Structure formats: structure tokens, C-alpha cells
Coordinates of all heavy atoms in Angstrom, one line a residue:
M272 N -49.6 60.0 28.8 CA -50.5 61.1 28.7 C -49.9 62.4 29.4 O -49.4 62.4 30.5 CB -51.8 60.7 29.4 CG -52.8 61.8 29.4 SD -54.3 61.1 30.0 CE -54.9 62.3 31.1
V273 N -49.9 63.4 28.6 CA -49.3 64.6 29.1 C -50.4 65.6 29.6 O -51.4 65.8 28.9 CB -48.5 65.4 28.0 CG1 -48.0 66.8 28.4 CG2 -47.4 64.5 27.5
R274 N -50.3 66.1 30.7 CA -51.4 67.0 31.3 C -51.0 68.4 30.8 O -49.9 68.9 31.0 CB -51.3 66.9 32.8 CG -52.4 67.6 33.4 CD -52.4 67.4 35.0 NE -53.6 68.0 35.4 CZ -54.0 67.8 36.7 NH1 -53.2 67.1 37.6 NH2 -55.1 68.3 37.1
T275 N -52.0 69.1 30.3 CA -51.8 70.5 29.8 C -51.7 71.4 31.1 O -52.3 71.2 32.1 CB -53.0 71.0 29.0 OG1 -54.2 70.9 29.7 CG2 -53.2 70.1 27.8
P276 N -50.8 72.4 31.0 CA -50.6 73.3 32.1 C -51.9 74.1 32.5 O -52.8 74.4 31.5 CB -49.5 74.3 31.6 CG -48.9 73.7 30.4 CD -50.0 72.7 29.8
L277 N -52.1 74.4 33.7 CA -53.2 75.2 34.1 C -53.0 76.6 33.7 O -51.9 77.2 33.7 CB -53.4 75.2 35.6 CG -53.7 73.7 36.2 CD1 -53.7 73.8 37.7 CD2 -55.0 73.2 35.7
T278 N -54.2 77.2 33.3 CA -54.2 78.7 33.0 C -54.2 79.5 34.3 O -54.4 79.0 35.4 CB -55.4 79.1 32.3 OG1 -56.5 78.9 33.1 CG2 -55.6 78.2 31.0
P279 N -53.8 80.8 34.2 CA -53.8 81.6 35.5 C -55.2 81.7 36.0 O -55.4 81.7 37.3 CB -53.3 83.0 34.8 CG -52.5 82.6 33.7 CD -53.1 81.4 33.1
W280 N -56.2 81.7 35.1 CA -57.6 81.7 35.6 C -57.9 80.4 36.5 O -58.5 80.5 37.6 CB -58.5 81.8 34.4 CG -60.0 81.7 34.9 CD1 -60.7 82.8 35.4 CD2 -60.8 80.6 34.9 NE1 -61.9 82.4 35.7 CE2 -62.1 81.0 35.4 CE3 -60.7 79.3 34.5 CZ2 -63.2 80.2 35.5 CZ3 -61.8 78.4 34.6 CH2 -63.0 78.8 35.1
E281 N -57.4 79.3 36.0 CA -57.7 78.0 36.7 C -56.9 78.0 38.1 O -57.5 77.6 39.1 CB -57.2 76.8 35.9 CG -58.2 76.5 34.7 CD -57.6 75.6 33.7 OE1 -56.4 75.6 33.5 OE2 -58.4 74.8 33.2
R282 N -55.7 78.5 38.0 CA -54.9 78.6 39.3 C -55.6 79.5 40.3 O -55.8 79.2 41.5 CB -53.5 79.0 39.1 CG -52.7 77.9 38.5 CD -51.2 78.2 38.5 NE -50.8 79.3 37.7 CZ -50.7 79.4 36.4 NH1 -50.8 78.3 35.7 NH2 -50.4 80.4 35.7
A283 N -56.1 80.7 39.8 CA -56.8 81.7 40.7 C -58.1 81.0 41.2 O -58.4 81.2 42.4 CB -57.1 82.9 40.0
R284 N -58.8 80.3 40.4 CA -60.1 79.6 40.9 C -59.8 78.7 41.9 O -60.4 78.5 43.0 CB -60.8 79.0 39.7 CG -62.1 78.3 40.1 CD -62.6 77.5 39.0 NE -61.7 76.5 38.5 CZ -61.7 75.8 37.4 NH1 -62.6 76.1 36.5 NH2 -60.8 75.0 37.0
G285 N -58.6 77.9 41.8 CA -58.3 76.9 42.8 C -57.9 77.5 44.1 O -58.3 77.1 45.2
E286 N -57.3 78.7 44.1 CA -56.8 79.4 45.3 C -58.2 79.9 46.0 O -58.2 79.8 47.2 CB -56.0 80.6 44.9 CG -54.5 80.1 44.5 CD -53.7 81.2 44.1 OE1 -54.1 82.4 44.1 OE2 -52.6 80.9 43.6
R287 N -59.1 80.5 45.2 CA -60.4 80.9 45.8 C -61.1 79.7 46.4 O -61.7 79.9 47.6 CB -61.3 81.6 44.7 CG -60.9 82.9 44.5 CD -62.1 83.7 43.7 NE -62.4 83.0 42.4 CZ -61.8 83.2 41.3 NH1 -60.7 83.9 41.2 NH2 -62.2 82.5 40.2
F288 N -61.1 78.6 45.8 CA -61.8 77.4 46.3 C -61.1 77.0 47.7 O -61.7 76.7 48.7 CB -61.7 76.3 45.3 CG -62.4 75.0 45.8 CD1 -63.7 75.0 46.1 CD2 -61.7 73.8 45.9 CE1 -64.3 73.8 46.6 CE2 -62.2 72.7 46.3 CZ -63.6 72.7 46.7
G289 N -59.8 77.0 47.6 CA -59.1 76.6 48.8 C -59.4 77.5 50.1 O -59.6 77.2 51.2
Q290 N -59.4 78.8 49.7 CA -59.7 79.8 50.8 C -61.1 79.6 51.3 O -61.3 79.8 52.5 CB -59.5 81.3 50.2 CG -58.1 81.6 49.9 CD -58.0 82.9 49.2 OE1 -59.0 83.5 48.7 NE2 -56.8 83.3 48.9
L291 N -62.0 79.3 50.5 CA -63.4 79.1 50.8 C -63.5 77.9 51.8 O -64.2 77.9 52.9 CB -64.3 78.9 49.6 CG -65.7 78.5 50.0 CD1 -66.5 79.6 50.7 CD2 -66.5 78.1 48.7
L292 N -62.8 76.8 51.4 CA -62.8 75.6 52.3 C -62.2 75.9 53.6 O -62.7 75.5 54.7 CB -62.1 74.4 51.6 CG -62.7 73.8 50.3 CD1 -61.8 72.7 49.9 CD2 -64.1 73.4 50.6
R293 N -61.1 76.6 53.6 CA -60.5 76.9 54.9 C -61.4 77.8 55.8 O -61.5 77.5 57.0 CB -59.2 77.7 54.6 CG -58.4 78.2 55.8 CD -58.0 77.0 56.7 NE -57.5 77.4 58.0 CZ -58.2 77.4 59.1 NH1 -59.4 76.9 59.2 NH2 -57.7 77.7 60.2
A294 N -62.0 78.8 55.2 CA -62.9 79.7 56.0 C -64.1 78.8 56.5 O -64.5 78.9 57.7 CB -63.5 80.7 55.1
A295 N -64.7 77.9 55.7 CA -65.8 77.0 56.1 C -65.4 76.0 57.2 O -66.2 75.7 58.0 CB -66.4 76.3 54.9
R296 N -64.1 75.7 57.1 CA -63.6 74.7 58.1 C -63.6 75.3 59.5 O -63.8 74.6 60.6 CB -62.3 74.2 57.7 CG -61.8 73.1 58.6 CD -60.6 72.4 57.9 NE -59.5 73.1 57.5 CZ -58.5 73.5 58.4 NH1 -58.5 73.1 59.6 NH2 -57.4 74.2 57.9
G297 N -63.3 76.6 59.6 CA -63.3 77.3 60.9 C -62.4 76.7 61.9 O -61.2 76.5 61.6
D298 N -62.9 76.3 63.1 CA -62.1 75.8 64.1 C -61.8 74.3 64.0 O -61.1 73.7 64.8 CB -62.7 76.1 65.5 CG -62.7 77.6 65.9 OD1 -61.8 78.3 65.2 OD2 -63.5 78.0 66.6
R299 N -62.6 73.7 63.1 CA -62.4 72.2 63.0 C -61.0 71.9 62.4 O -60.5 72.6 61.5 CB -63.5 71.7 62.0 CG -64.9 71.8 62.6 CD -66.0 71.5 61.5 NE -65.9 70.0 61.2 CZ -66.7 69.4 60.3 NH1 -67.6 70.2 59.6 NH2 -66.7 68.2 60.0
S300 N -60.5 70.8 62.8 CA -59.1 70.4 62.4 C -59.3 69.9 60.9 O -60.2 69.4 60.5 CB -58.6 69.3 63.3 OG -59.1 68.1 63.0
M301 N -58.2 69.9 60.3 CA -58.0 69.4 58.9 C -58.3 67.9 58.9 O -59.0 67.5 58.0 CB -56.7 69.8 58.3 CG -56.5 69.6 56.8 SD -54.9 70.1 56.3 CE -55.1 71.9 56.3
V302 N -57.7 67.2 59.9 CA -58.0 65.8 60.0 C -59.4 65.4 60.1 O -59.9 64.6 59.5 CB -57.1 65.3 61.1 CG1 -57.4 63.8 61.3 CG2 -55.6 65.4 60.8
E303 N -60.1 66.2 61.0 CA -61.6 66.0 61.2 C -62.4 66.1 60.0 O -63.2 65.2 59.6 CB -62.0 66.9 62.3 CG -63.5 66.8 62.7 CD -64.0 67.9 63.7 OE1 -63.2 68.5 64.2 OE2 -65.2 67.9 63.8
V304 N -62.2 67.2 59.3 CA -62.9 67.5 58.0 C -62.6 66.5 57.0 O -63.5 65.9 56.3 CB -62.7 69.0 57.6 CG1 -63.3 69.2 56.2 CG2 -63.3 69.9 58.6
A305 N -61.3 66.2 56.8 CA -60.9 65.2 55.8 C -61.5 63.9 56.1 O -62.0 63.2 55.1 CB -59.4 65.1 55.8
A306 N -61.5 63.4 57.3 CA -62.1 62.1 57.7 C -63.6 62.1 57.3 O -64.2 61.1 56.8 CB -61.8 61.8 59.1
A307 N -64.3 63.2 57.7 CA -65.7 63.3 57.4 C -66.0 63.3 55.9 O -67.1 62.7 55.5 CB -66.3 64.6 58.0
A308 N -65.1 63.8 55.1 CA -65.3 63.8 53.7 C -64.8 62.5 53.0 O -65.0 62.3 51.9 CB -64.6 65.0 53.1
G309 N -64.0 61.7 53.8 CA -63.5 60.5 53.2 C -62.2 60.8 52.3 O -62.1 60.0 51.4
V310 N -61.5 61.8 52.5 CA -60.3 62.1 51.8 C -59.2 62.2 52.8 O -59.4 62.3 54.0 CB -60.4 63.4 51.0 CG1 -61.5 63.3 50.0 CG2 -60.6 64.7 51.9
S311 N -57.9 62.1 52.4 CA -56.8 62.3 53.2 C -56.6 63.8 53.6 O -56.9 64.6 53.0 CB -55.5 61.8 52.6 OG -55.1 62.7 51.6
A312 N -56.0 63.9 54.8 CA -55.7 65.3 55.3 C -54.7 65.9 54.3 O -54.8 67.1 54.1 CB -55.1 65.2 56.7
E313 N -53.9 65.2 53.7 CA -52.9 65.7 52.7 C -53.6 66.3 51.5 O -53.3 67.3 51.0 CB -51.8 64.7 52.3 CG -50.8 65.3 51.4 CD -50.0 66.4 51.9 OE1 -49.9 66.6 53.1 OE2 -49.5 67.1 51.0
T314 N -54.6 65.5 51.1 CA -55.5 66.0 49.9 C -56.1 67.3 50.2 O -56.1 68.3 49.5 CB -56.5 64.9 49.5 OG1 -55.8 63.8 49.0 CG2 -57.4 65.4 48.4
L315 N -56.7 67.4 51.5 CA -57.4 68.7 51.9 C -56.4 69.8 52.0 O -56.6 70.9 51.6 CB -58.1 68.4 53.2 CG -58.9 69.6 53.8 CD1 -59.8 70.3 52.8 CD2 -59.5 69.3 55.1
R316 N -55.2 69.5 52.5 CA -54.2 70.5 52.7 C -53.7 71.0 51.3 O -53.6 72.2 51.1 CB -52.9 69.9 53.4 CG -51.8 70.9 53.5 CD -50.6 70.2 54.3 NE -51.0 70.0 55.7 CZ -51.1 68.8 56.2 NH1 -51.0 67.6 55.5 NH2 -51.5 68.7 57.5
K317 N -53.6 70.1 50.3 CA -53.2 70.6 49.0 C -54.3 71.4 48.3 O -54.0 72.4 47.6 CB -52.9 69.4 48.1 CG -51.6 68.7 48.4 CD -51.4 67.5 47.5 CE -50.1 66.8 47.8 NZ -49.9 65.5 47.0
I318 N -55.5 71.1 48.5 CA -56.6 71.9 48.0 C -56.7 73.2 48.7 O -56.8 74.2 48.0 CB -58.0 71.1 48.1 CG1 -58.0 69.9 47.3 CG2 -59.2 72.0 47.8 CD1 -59.1 68.9 47.5
E319 N -56.6 73.3 49.9 CA -56.7 74.5 50.7 C -55.5 75.5 50.4 O -55.7 76.7 50.4 CB -56.7 74.3 52.2 CG -58.0 73.8 52.8 CD -58.1 73.8 54.3 OE1 -57.1 74.2 54.9 OE2 -59.1 73.4 54.8
T320 N -54.4 74.9 50.0 CA -53.3 75.8 49.8 C -53.1 76.2 48.3 O -52.2 76.9 47.9 CB -51.9 75.2 50.3 OG1 -51.8 73.9 49.6 CG2 -51.9 75.0 51.7
G321 N -54.0 75.6 47.5 CA -54.0 75.9 46.0 C -53.0 75.0 45.2 O -52.8 75.1 44.0
R322 N -52.3 74.0 45.9 CA -51.5 73.1 45.2 C -52.2 72.1 44.4 O -51.6 71.4 43.6 CB -50.5 72.5 46.2 CG -49.5 73.5 46.7 CD -48.4 72.8 47.6 NE -48.5 71.4 47.8 CZ -48.5 70.8 49.1 NH1 -48.5 71.6 50.1 NH2 -48.6 69.5 49.2
A323 N -53.5 71.9 44.7 CA -54.3 71.0 43.9 C -55.5 71.8 43.5 O -56.6 71.6 44.0 CB -54.7 69.7 44.7
P324 N -55.4 72.6 42.5 CA -56.4 73.5 42.1 C -57.6 73.0 41.3 O -58.6 73.6 41.2 CB -55.7 74.6 41.2 CG -54.6 73.9 40.7 CD -54.1 72.9 41.7
T325 N -57.4 71.7 40.9 CA -58.5 71.1 40.1 C -58.9 69.7 40.7 O -58.7 68.7 40.1 CB -58.2 71.0 38.6 OG1 -57.0 70.2 38.5 CG2 -58.0 72.3 38.0
P326 N -59.5 69.7 41.9 CA -59.8 68.4 42.5 C -61.0 67.7 41.8 O -61.7 68.4 41.1 CB -60.2 68.7 44.0 CG -60.6 70.2 43.9 CD -59.7 70.8 42.8
A327 N -61.1 66.5 41.9 CA -62.2 65.7 41.3 C -63.5 66.1 41.8 O -63.6 66.6 43.0 CB -62.0 64.1 41.5
F328 N -64.5 66.0 41.0 CA -65.9 66.5 41.3 C -66.3 65.8 42.7 O -66.9 66.4 43.6 CB -66.9 66.1 40.3 CG -68.3 66.3 40.7 CD1 -68.8 67.6 40.8 CD2 -69.1 65.3 41.1 CE1 -70.1 67.9 41.2 CE2 -70.4 65.5 41.5 CZ -70.9 66.8 41.6
F329 N -66.1 64.5 42.8 CA -66.6 63.8 44.0 C -65.8 64.2 45.2 O -66.4 64.2 46.3 CB -66.5 62.2 43.8 CG -67.5 61.8 42.8 CD1 -67.1 61.4 41.4 CD2 -68.9 61.7 43.0 CE1 -68.0 61.0 40.5 CE2 -69.8 61.3 42.1 CZ -69.4 61.0 40.8
T330 N -64.6 64.6 45.1 CA -63.8 65.1 46.2 C -64.5 66.5 46.6 O -64.7 66.7 47.8 CB -62.4 65.4 45.8 OG1 -61.8 64.1 45.5 CG2 -61.6 66.0 47.0
V331 N -64.8 67.3 45.7 CA -65.4 68.6 45.9 C -66.8 68.4 46.6 O -67.1 69.1 47.6 CB -65.6 69.4 44.6 CG1 -66.4 70.7 44.8 CG2 -64.2 69.8 44.1
A332 N -67.5 67.5 46.1 CA -68.9 67.2 46.6 C -68.8 66.6 48.0 O -69.6 67.0 48.9 CB -69.6 66.2 45.8
A333 N -67.8 65.8 48.3 CA -67.6 65.2 49.7 C -67.3 66.3 50.7 O -67.7 66.3 51.8 CB -66.6 64.1 49.6
L334 N -66.3 67.2 50.3 CA -65.9 68.2 51.1 C -67.0 69.3 51.4 O -67.2 69.7 52.6 CB -64.7 69.0 50.5 CG -63.4 68.2 50.5 CD1 -62.3 68.9 49.8 CD2 -63.0 68.0 52.0
A335 N -67.8 69.6 50.3 CA -68.9 70.5 50.5 C -69.9 69.8 51.5 O -70.4 70.5 52.4 CB -69.6 70.7 49.2
A336 N -70.3 68.5 51.4 CA -71.1 67.9 52.4 C -70.6 67.9 53.8 O -71.3 68.2 54.7 CB -71.4 66.5 51.9
A337 N -69.3 67.7 53.9 CA -68.7 67.6 55.2 C -68.7 69.0 55.9 O -68.7 69.1 57.1 CB -67.3 67.1 55.2
L338 N -68.6 70.0 55.1 CA -68.5 71.4 55.6 C -69.9 72.1 55.6 O -70.0 73.3 56.0 CB -67.6 72.2 54.8 CG -66.1 71.8 54.9 CD1 -65.3 72.4 53.9 CD2 -65.6 72.1 56.4
G339 N -71.0 71.4 55.2 CA -72.4 72.0 55.2 C -72.5 73.1 54.1 O -73.2 74.0 54.2
L340 N -71.7 72.9 53.0 CA -71.8 73.9 51.9 C -72.6 73.2 50.7 O -72.4 72.0 50.5 CB -70.5 74.3 51.4 CG -69.5 75.0 52.3 CD1 -68.1 75.1 51.8 CD2 -70.1 76.3 52.7
S341 N -73.4 74.0 50.0 CA -74.0 73.5 48.8 C -73.0 73.7 47.6 O -72.1 74.6 47.7 CB -75.3 74.3 48.5 OG -75.0 75.5 48.0
L342 N -73.2 72.9 46.6 CA -72.4 73.0 45.4 C -72.7 74.4 44.7 O -71.8 75.0 44.1 CB -72.6 71.9 44.4 CG -72.2 70.5 45.0 CD1 -72.6 69.4 43.9 CD2 -70.7 70.5 45.3
D343 N -73.9 74.9 44.9 CA -74.3 76.2 44.3 C -73.4 77.3 45.0 O -72.9 78.2 44.4 CB -75.7 76.5 44.4 CG -76.6 75.8 43.5 OD1 -76.1 75.3 42.5 OD2 -77.8 75.6 43.9
Q344 N -73.2 77.2 46.3 CA -72.4 78.2 47.1 C -70.9 78.1 46.6 O -70.3 79.1 46.4 CB -72.4 77.8 48.5 CG -73.7 78.2 49.3 CD -73.6 77.7 50.7 OE1 -73.4 76.6 51.0 NE2 -73.8 78.7 51.6
L345 N -70.4 76.9 46.3 CA -69.1 76.8 45.8 C -68.9 77.5 44.4 O -68.0 78.1 44.1 CB -68.7 75.3 45.7 CG -68.6 74.6 47.1 CD1 -68.2 73.2 46.8 CD2 -67.6 75.3 48.0
V346 N -69.9 77.1 43.6 CA -69.8 77.7 42.2 C -69.8 79.3 42.3 O -69.1 79.9 41.6 CB -71.1 77.2 41.3 CG1 -71.2 78.0 40.1 CG2 -70.9 75.8 41.1
D347 N -70.7 79.8 43.1 CA -70.8 81.2 43.2 C -69.5 81.9 43.8 O -69.0 82.8 43.3 CB -72.0 81.7 44.1 CG -73.3 81.4 43.5 OD1 -73.4 81.2 42.2 OD2 -74.4 81.4 44.2
A348 N -69.0 81.2 44.8 CA -67.8 81.7 45.4 C -66.6 81.6 44.5 O -65.6 82.4 44.7 CB -67.5 81.0 46.7
C349 N -66.5 80.7 43.7 CA -65.3 80.4 42.8 C -65.5 80.9 41.4 O -64.6 80.7 40.5 CB -65.0 78.9 42.7 SG -64.5 78.3 44.4
A350 N -66.6 81.6 41.1 CA -66.8 82.1 39.8 C -65.8 83.1 39.5 O -65.3 83.8 40.3 CB -68.2 82.8 39.7
P351 N -65.4 83.3 38.2 CA -64.3 84.3 37.9 C -64.8 85.7 38.0 O -66.0 86.0 37.9 CB -64.0 83.9 36.4 CG -65.3 83.3 35.9 CD -65.9 82.6 37.1
E352 N -63.8 86.5 38.3 CA -64.1 88.0 38.3 C -64.2 88.3 36.8 O -63.6 87.7 36.0 CB -62.9 88.8 38.9 CG -62.8 88.4 40.4 CD -63.9 88.9 41.2 OE1 -64.5 89.9 41.0 OE2 -64.2 88.2 42.2
P353 N -65.0 89.4 36.5 CA -65.2 89.7 35.0 C -63.8 89.9 34.3 O -63.7 89.5 33.2 CB -66.0 91.0 35.0 CG -66.7 90.9 36.4 CD -65.8 90.2 37.3
A354 N -62.8 90.5 34.9 CA -61.6 90.7 34.3 C -60.8 89.4 34.0 O -59.8 89.4 33.2 CB -60.7 91.6 35.0
E355 N -61.1 88.3 34.8 CA -60.3 87.1 34.6 C -61.0 86.0 33.9 O -60.5 84.8 33.9 CB -59.8 86.7 36.0 CG -60.8 86.3 36.9 CD -60.2 85.8 38.3 OE1 -59.1 86.1 38.6 OE2 -61.0 85.2 39.0
E356 N -62.2 86.2 33.3 CA -62.9 85.2 32.6 C -62.0 84.5 31.6 O -61.3 85.2 30.8 CB -64.2 85.7 32.0 CG -65.1 86.2 33.0 CD -66.5 85.7 32.8 OE1 -66.7 84.8 32.0 OE2 -67.4 86.2 33.5
P357 N -62.2 83.2 31.4 CA -61.4 82.5 30.4 C -61.9 82.8 29.0 O -63.1 83.1 28.8 CB -61.6 81.0 30.8 CG -62.9 81.0 31.5 CD -63.0 82.3 32.3
R358 N -61.0 83.0 28.1 CA -61.3 83.2 26.7 C -61.9 82.0 26.1 O -61.5 80.9 26.4 CB -60.1 83.7 26.0 CG -59.7 85.1 26.4 CD -58.5 85.6 25.5 NE -57.3 85.1 26.1 CZ -56.2 85.0 25.3 NH1 -56.1 85.3 24.1 NH2 -55.1 84.5 26.0
A359 N -62.9 82.2 25.2 CA -63.5 81.1 24.5 C -62.5 80.6 23.5 O -61.8 81.3 22.9 CB -64.7 81.6 23.8
L360 N -62.5 79.2 23.3 CA -61.7 78.7 22.3 C -62.3 78.9 21.0 O -63.5 78.8 20.8 CB -61.6 77.1 22.6 CG -60.9 76.7 23.9 CD1 -61.0 75.2 24.1 CD2 -59.6 77.2 24.0
T361 N -61.4 79.1 20.0 CA -61.8 79.3 18.7 C -61.4 78.1 17.9 O -60.4 77.4 18.1 CB -61.2 80.5 18.0 OG1 -59.8 80.4 18.1 CG2 -61.7 81.8 18.8
A362 N -62.3 77.7 16.9 CA -62.1 76.6 16.1 C -61.0 76.8 15.0 O -60.7 77.7 14.6 CB -63.3 76.1 15.5

């Protein structure tokens, strides 16, 4: 199975998501937050740095819960800027 390359919009969204998690983590250590979410510190590190821009939904939900964020907050914070909205696919 070949994975399709990420679009610039998807990469930018992943970077915004990582920045949001890092800001929400504050003074808490990466290991502490990762353990609370049930993910590895390396997974959290990759997400925060944008190297894993499309984490699984359950990973996102677990990190949101560990950081006291709602999924609605994440959606709002990671929504595309008007200039970078993805183009609709045509049939």
C-alpha cells in the first residue's frame, strides 16, 4: 500500500496542531503528558514538531483529554486560513 504524499495544507495543519499541543502542555514534561494520554513520548514529540502531521483520531482525543482541551478547540485552532483551504476534488 502506497501512502499518498501530504499536501502543503495538511502539513501546515499538522504544524498548527503541534504548536497548539506544545502551548497547552506548558510546563508539563513531554513524558508526563504522553503517559497521561497513553502514547509514547516519541509519538508526542513527532506530533509537536510536525513530523507526524496526521495522527490517528484516538491519539488526538487522548492528547486533548490529557491536556484539558476539547475537540472543538482543536478543530477551531487547526482550521485552515482562507488562503490555504484545500481545493475540492473534481470528478
Side-chain angles (χ1 to χ4, degrees):
M272 180 170 130
V273 177
R274 187 172 191 176
T275 59
L277 297 175
T278 65
W280 177 81
E281 289 169 322
R282 285 192 298 276
R284 181 187 59 198
E286 289 172 6
R287 279 194 303 277
F288 179 59
Q290 291 168 356
L291 173 68
L292 292 182
R293 176 61 189 103
R296 186 163 57 85
D298 293 338
R299 294 172 67 186
S300 76
M301 193 175 285
V302 172
E303 178 186 349
V304 171
V310 301
S311 71
E313 183 59 21
T314 295
L315 180 54
R316 179 177 293 108
K317 286 179 182 177
I318 295 169
E319 283 189 0
T320 60
R322 289 189 356 236
T325 57
F328 172 78
F329 291 104
T330 300
V331 172
L334 287 168
L338 292 168
L340 298 170
S341 73
L342 294 178
D343 287 335
Q344 287 174 299
L345 296 179
V346 168
D347 290 343
C349 296
E352 299 293 325
E355 66 178 16
E356 293 229 12
R358 288 186 274 161
L360 298 175
T361 57

